C-alpha cells in the first residue's frame, strides 16, 4: 500500500510538471511567433530597431559568408538591405522554456508586392533575458543554390 501511495504521488508530480512545461512552451511559442511576425518590418526601417530582437552579444550565421557578431555588425548587415516581407513557420521548438529555446523554422521571403524571392530554413537559439526572449544565434539558408 505504501509503495502504491508513493508511486501515485510521483505520477501526480510528474504530470503536474509536464503540464507546467507544456504551458510554458506554449507561451514561449506565442512570444517567438509575435517577434517573427514583425522581424522584417523592423529590418526594413534601416534604423537599428531590428537590434531589439537580438541579445547584445548575438551572432548571425548567413549563408555563403562569415558569421556576423555584435550589435554594430548586425546593424550593418541589415542596413540598406532589400525591402522584403518574411513569413516564418515554426516547425519545432526544443528546450525547457526557461533559459533558452532552439527554434527550427521555414521562411518564405517576398518583395513588397508579394512576389516570392526565396524560401529556406532557419535555426535560432533564443535566450531568455531580463528584457524577455531575444535571438542569440540566428542561422539561415536558402533552399536554392547560390547564384
Amino acid at each position: 500500500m505504501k509503495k502504491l501511495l508513493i508511486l501515485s504521488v510521483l505520477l501526480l508530480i510528474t504530470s503536474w510538471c509536464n503540464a507546467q512545461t507544456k504551458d510554458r512552451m506554449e507561451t514561449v511559442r506565442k512570444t517567438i511567433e509575435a517577434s517573427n511576425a514583425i522581424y522584417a518590418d523592423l529590418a526594413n526601417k534601416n534604423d537599428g530597431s531590428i537590434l531589439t530582437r537580438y541579445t547584445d552579444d548575438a551572432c548571425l550565421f548567413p549563408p555563403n559568408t562569415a558569421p556576423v557578431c555584435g550589435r554594430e555588425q548586425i546593424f550593418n548587415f541589415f542596413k540598406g538591405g532589400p525591402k522584403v516581407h518574411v513569413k516564418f513557420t515554426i516547425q519545432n521548438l526544443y528546450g525547457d522554456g526557461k533559459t533558452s529555446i532552439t527554434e527550427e523554422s521555414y521562411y518564405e521571403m517576398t518583395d513588397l508586392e508579394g512576389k516570392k524571392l526565396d524560401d529556406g530554413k532557419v535555426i535560432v537559439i533564443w535566450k531568455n533575458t531580463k528584457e524577455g526572449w531575444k535571438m542569440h544565434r540566428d542561422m539561415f539558408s536558402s533552399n536554392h543554390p547560390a547564384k
Side-chain angles (χ1 to χ4, degrees), residues 61 90 106 141:
F61 298 95
I90 296 174
Y106 296 131
S141 64

Side-chain angles (χ1 to χ4, degrees), residues 48 51-52 54-58 69-76:
L51 296 174
T52 63
Y54 288 95
T55 62
D56 290 339
D57 57 345
C69 295
R71 296 181 69 76
E72 185 177 341
Q73 286 189 0
I74 292 172
F75 174 70
N76 289 334

Side-chain angles (χ1 to χ4, degrees), residues 4-18:
L4 183 59
L5 180 62
I6 291 171
L7 182 59
S8 296
V9 169
L10 288 175
L11 287 173
L12 182 64
I13 290 170
T14 300
S15 84
W16 179 78
C17 289
N18 286 340

Side-chain angles (χ1 to χ4, degrees), residues 28-114:
V28 172
R29 175 182 282 273
K30 288 178 182 176
T31 300
I32 290 171
E33 286 172 340
S35 182
N36 285 346
I38 60 174
Y39 183 84
D41 292 332
L42 294 178
N44 288 340
K45 288 183 178 181
N46 281 326
D47 66 0
S49 55
I50 189 71
L51 296 174
T52 63
R53 298 294 171 219
Y54 288 95
T55 62
D56 290 339
D57 57 345
C59 290
L60 300 177
F61 298 95
N64 307 315
T65 189
V68 177
C69 295
R71 296 181 69 76
E72 185 177 341
Q73 286 189 0
I74 292 172
F75 174 70
N76 289 334
F77 177 83
F78 287 107
K79 187 177 179 182
K83 303 284 188 196
V84 296
H85 290 294
V86 181
K87 180 183 179 201
F88 297 94
T89 305
I90 296 174
Q91 300 302 303
N92 292 296
L93 294 176
Y94 307 98
D96 64 6
K98 292 180 183 177
T99 59
S100 67
I101 288 288
T102 301
E103 170 194 3
E104 174 188 327
S105 289
Y106 296 131
Y107 73 84
E108 183 172 284
M109 184 185 307
T110 63
D111 64 16
L112 297 182
E113 286 76 45

